[in-house]
Amino acid sequence: MGFKYIDSLIEDYKLIKKENLNDIAGKLAEILDSVNYLHPFREGNGRTQREFIRLFALEKDLNLNLSPPDNKSVYERYMKGTIESDYKILTELIYELITSKKES
């Protein structure tokens, strides 16, 4: 059932227009939280989840780096959001970090 639910979140994500960054950030946070809850791997869940979410952003011509080097604040907010299953923290973090491919 968990995979089926995540599939439905992904389908919802695909319907969001790429200009709607608020909705994109919120849906990516929801997908991230759900995949984190499912925890499909013994090792490497966080790295895999961050790459998974980055690829969804790329589908909308957006860059998203949830692992910027030497940024303790991003790491702490990411960990707090995923450990506490806090959509608000994750949404704000993703919204802050997401950029158009044109801007990069």
Side-chain angles (χ1 to χ4, degrees), residues 62-84:
L62 300 168
N63 288 321
L64 176 61
N65 183 1
L66 287 168
S67 302
D70 303 322
N71 192 325
K72 188 175 179 182
S73 172
V74 169
Y75 176 77
E76 288 173 350
R77 290 184 288 157
Y78 170 82
M79 291 304 292
K80 182 174 177 58
T82 55
I83 290 168
E84 296 177 7

Short mmCIF file of all heavy atoms in Angstrom, two decimals, residues 62-84:
data_model
loop_
_atom_site.label_atom_id
_atom_site.label_comp_id
_atom_site.label_asym_id
_atom_site.label_seq_id
_atom_site.Cartn_x
_atom_site.Cartn_y
_atom_site.Cartn_z
N LEU A 62 13.92 22.38 -12.89
CA LEU A 62 14.34 23.04 -11.65
C LEU A 62 15.54 22.30 -11.06
O LEU A 62 15.67 21.09 -11.21
CB LEU A 62 13.19 23.04 -10.64
CG LEU A 62 11.92 23.75 -11.07
CD1 LEU A 62 10.78 23.43 -10.11
CD2 LEU A 62 12.16 25.26 -11.14
N ASN A 63 16.39 23.06 -10.40
CA ASN A 63 17.50 22.48 -9.65
C ASN A 63 17.13 22.43 -8.19
O ASN A 63 16.51 23.37 -7.67
CB ASN A 63 18.76 23.33 -9.81
CG ASN A 63 19.36 23.22 -11.19
OD1 ASN A 63 19.39 22.15 -11.77
ND2 ASN A 63 19.83 24.33 -11.72
N LEU A 64 17.54 21.37 -7.52
CA LEU A 64 17.31 21.23 -6.08
C LEU A 64 18.47 20.46 -5.50
O LEU A 64 18.70 19.31 -5.86
CB LEU A 64 15.99 20.51 -5.80
CG LEU A 64 15.68 20.23 -4.34
CD1 LEU A 64 15.59 21.53 -3.54
CD2 LEU A 64 14.39 19.43 -4.22
N ASN A 65 19.20 21.10 -4.60
CA ASN A 65 20.32 20.45 -3.94
C ASN A 65 20.04 20.42 -2.44
O ASN A 65 20.22 21.43 -1.76
CB ASN A 65 21.63 21.18 -4.23
CG ASN A 65 22.81 20.48 -3.60
OD1 ASN A 65 22.68 19.44 -2.96
ND2 ASN A 65 23.99 21.05 -3.78
N LEU A 66 19.58 19.28 -1.96
CA LEU A 66 19.32 19.11 -0.53
C LEU A 66 20.56 18.70 0.24
O LEU A 66 20.48 18.42 1.42
CB LEU A 66 18.19 18.09 -0.31
CG LEU A 66 16.80 18.58 -0.67
CD1 LEU A 66 15.81 17.41 -0.70
CD2 LEU A 66 16.33 19.63 0.31
N SER A 67 21.70 18.65 -0.43
CA SER A 67 22.96 18.27 0.21
C SER A 67 24.09 19.24 -0.13
O SER A 67 25.17 18.82 -0.54
CB SER A 67 23.37 16.86 -0.23
OG SER A 67 22.40 15.93 0.06
N PRO A 68 23.85 20.54 0.01
CA PRO A 68 24.95 21.45 -0.33
C PRO A 68 26.11 21.25 0.65
O PRO A 68 25.89 21.07 1.85
CB PRO A 68 24.33 22.84 -0.18
CG PRO A 68 23.14 22.67 0.67
CD PRO A 68 22.68 21.25 0.50
N PRO A 69 27.33 21.22 0.13
CA PRO A 69 28.48 21.00 1.01
C PRO A 69 28.64 22.13 2.02
O PRO A 69 28.39 23.29 1.72
CB PRO A 69 29.67 20.95 0.05
CG PRO A 69 29.21 21.62 -1.19
CD PRO A 69 27.71 21.46 -1.25
N ASP A 70 29.00 21.74 3.20
CA ASP A 70 29.31 22.70 4.27
C ASP A 70 28.16 23.64 4.63
O ASP A 70 28.38 24.77 5.03
CB ASP A 70 30.53 23.54 3.90
CG ASP A 70 31.74 22.67 3.61
OD1 ASP A 70 31.92 21.66 4.31
OD2 ASP A 70 32.50 23.01 2.69
N ASN A 71 26.92 23.17 4.48
CA ASN A 71 25.78 23.98 4.90
C ASN A 71 25.05 23.26 6.02
O ASN A 71 24.14 22.46 5.79
CB ASN A 71 24.84 24.28 3.73
CG ASN A 71 23.83 25.35 4.07
OD1 ASN A 71 23.37 25.42 5.21
ND2 ASN A 71 23.49 26.16 3.11
N LYS A 72 25.48 23.55 7.23
CA LYS A 72 24.96 22.88 8.42
C LYS A 72 23.47 23.16 8.61
O LYS A 72 22.71 22.29 9.03
CB LYS A 72 25.74 23.33 9.65
CG LYS A 72 25.44 22.57 10.90
CD LYS A 72 26.34 23.01 12.04
CE LYS A 72 25.99 22.23 13.28
NZ LYS A 72 26.81 22.64 14.42
N SER A 73 23.03 24.35 8.28
CA SER A 73 21.63 24.72 8.45
C SER A 73 20.71 23.84 7.58
O SER A 73 19.68 23.37 8.04
CB SER A 73 21.42 26.19 8.10
OG SER A 73 20.04 26.50 8.09
N VAL A 74 21.10 23.65 6.32
CA VAL A 74 20.30 22.81 5.43
C VAL A 74 20.25 21.39 5.97
O VAL A 74 19.18 20.78 6.05
CB VAL A 74 20.84 22.83 3.98
CG1 VAL A 74 20.18 21.75 3.12
CG2 VAL A 74 20.63 24.20 3.35
N TYR A 75 21.39 20.87 6.36
CA TYR A 75 21.45 19.50 6.89
C TYR A 75 20.57 19.36 8.13
O TYR A 75 19.78 18.41 8.25
CB TYR A 75 22.90 19.13 7.23
CG TYR A 75 23.01 17.78 7.88
CD1 TYR A 75 22.92 16.62 7.13
CD2 TYR A 75 23.18 17.66 9.26
CE1 TYR A 75 23.01 15.37 7.73
CE2 TYR A 75 23.27 16.42 9.87
CZ TYR A 75 23.18 15.28 9.10
OH TYR A 75 23.26 14.05 9.70
N GLU A 76 20.67 20.30 9.06
CA GLU A 76 19.89 20.22 10.31
C GLU A 76 18.39 20.31 10.04
O GLU A 76 17.60 19.58 10.64
CB GLU A 76 20.33 21.31 11.28
CG GLU A 76 21.70 21.03 11.87
CD GLU A 76 22.24 22.17 12.71
OE1 GLU A 76 21.65 23.29 12.70
OE2 GLU A 76 23.28 21.96 13.37
N ARG A 77 17.99 21.20 9.14
CA ARG A 77 16.56 21.33 8.83
C ARG A 77 16.05 20.11 8.08
O ARG A 77 14.93 19.63 8.33
CB ARG A 77 16.28 22.61 8.04
CG ARG A 77 16.47 23.86 8.91
CD ARG A 77 16.13 25.12 8.18
NE ARG A 77 17.18 25.40 7.20
CZ ARG A 77 17.01 26.15 6.12
NH1 ARG A 77 15.85 26.70 5.85
NH2 ARG A 77 18.01 26.35 5.27
N TYR A 78 16.87 19.57 7.17
CA TYR A 78 16.49 18.35 6.46
C TYR A 78 16.29 17.21 7.46
O TYR A 78 15.29 16.50 7.42
CB TYR A 78 17.57 17.98 5.43
CG TYR A 78 17.36 16.62 4.83
CD1 TYR A 78 16.46 16.44 3.79
CD2 TYR A 78 18.03 15.51 5.32
CE1 TYR A 78 16.25 15.18 3.24
CE2 TYR A 78 17.82 14.25 4.78
CZ TYR A 78 16.93 14.09 3.75
OH TYR A 78 16.72 12.85 3.23
N MET A 79 17.25 17.04 8.37
CA MET A 79 17.16 15.96 9.34
C MET A 79 15.96 16.16 10.27
O MET A 79 15.22 15.20 10.54
CB MET A 79 18.46 15.87 10.16
CG MET A 79 19.64 15.39 9.35
SD MET A 79 19.38 13.80 8.52
CE MET A 79 19.31 12.70 9.91
N LYS A 80 15.75 17.36 10.75
CA LYS A 80 14.61 17.63 11.63
C LYS A 80 13.29 17.35 10.90
O LYS A 80 12.40 16.70 11.44
CB LYS A 80 14.65 19.08 12.12
CG LYS A 80 13.53 19.43 13.08
CD LYS A 80 13.71 20.84 13.64
CE LYS A 80 12.61 21.27 14.55
NZ LYS A 80 12.37 20.45 15.70
N GLY A 81 13.20 17.81 9.66
CA GLY A 81 11.98 17.60 8.88
C GLY A 81 11.69 16.14 8.62
O GLY A 81 10.54 15.70 8.72
N THR A 82 12.73 15.38 8.29
CA THR A 82 12.51 13.96 8.00
C THR A 82 12.29 13.14 9.26
O THR A 82 11.42 12.28 9.30
CB THR A 82 13.65 13.36 7.15
OG1 THR A 82 14.90 13.58 7.80
CG2 THR A 82 13.66 13.95 5.75
N ILE A 83 13.05 13.41 10.30
CA ILE A 83 12.90 12.65 11.55
C ILE A 83 11.55 12.91 12.20
O ILE A 83 10.90 11.99 12.68
CB ILE A 83 14.06 12.96 12.52
CG1 ILE A 83 15.37 12.36 11.99
CG2 ILE A 83 13.77 12.44 13.92
CD1 ILE A 83 16.61 12.84 12.71
N GLU A 84 11.13 14.16 12.18
CA GLU A 84 9.87 14.53 12.84
C GLU A 84 8.68 14.50 11.88
O GLU A 84 7.57 14.85 12.27
CB GLU A 84 9.99 15.91 13.48
CG GLU A 84 11.03 15.95 14.58
CD GLU A 84 11.21 17.32 15.19
OE1 GLU A 84 10.44 18.25 14.86
OE2 GLU A 84 12.15 17.47 16.00
#
